[in-house]
Amino acid sequence: MTVRLEATRRSDLAVRALTALGDLEGRVKAPELARLLSTTPAFITQVVGHLVRAGWVRSDPGPSGGYSLSVDLGTLTVLQVVEAVD
């Protein structure tokens, strides 16, 4: 049996966002993450919201807040990320 996994824009962005958050220190605001990933802050918020609900990303509100990684990326699979966002 062969399973075909097709990446959507949303799942692609989710994987790239997790990777970027893993590479960065501290919290990153949505506009900065959007700039780094060449997308809009609104799309970042939409996609990263799924990652927050999955417990992989922490979202701290307020002027000093932002997104930060809350898991070891080595514990996640691409399939888990795709299932969480699509």
Side-chain angles (χ1 to χ4, degrees):
M1 173 195 265
T2 302
V3 176
R4 183 171 179 200
L5 181 63
E6 196 168 313
T8 62
R9 282 184 57 226
R10 186 185 325 216
S11 60
D12 174 66
L13 182 60
V15 170
R16 292 187 305 122
L18 284 168
T19 302
L21 289 172
D23 291 343
L24 299 169
E25 300 262 336
R27 290 180 283 243
V28 181
K29 295 197 173 294
E32 176 65 11
L33 191 55
R35 186 188 65 72
L36 290 170
L37 300 176
S38 301
T39 191
T40 64
F43 196 35
I44 285 289
T45 302
Q46 178 186 9
V47 171
V48 175
H50 291 282
L51 305 176
V52 170
R53 285 189 287 286
W56 304 328
V57 172
R58 179 177 171 164
S59 175
D60 296 309
S64 64
Y67 298 117
S68 58
L69 197 60
S70 60
V71 299
D72 176 7
L73 286 181
T75 64
L76 298 177
T77 66
V78 172
L79 179 59
Q80 288 173 305
V81 177
V82 170
E83 289 176 338
V85 299
D86 282 333

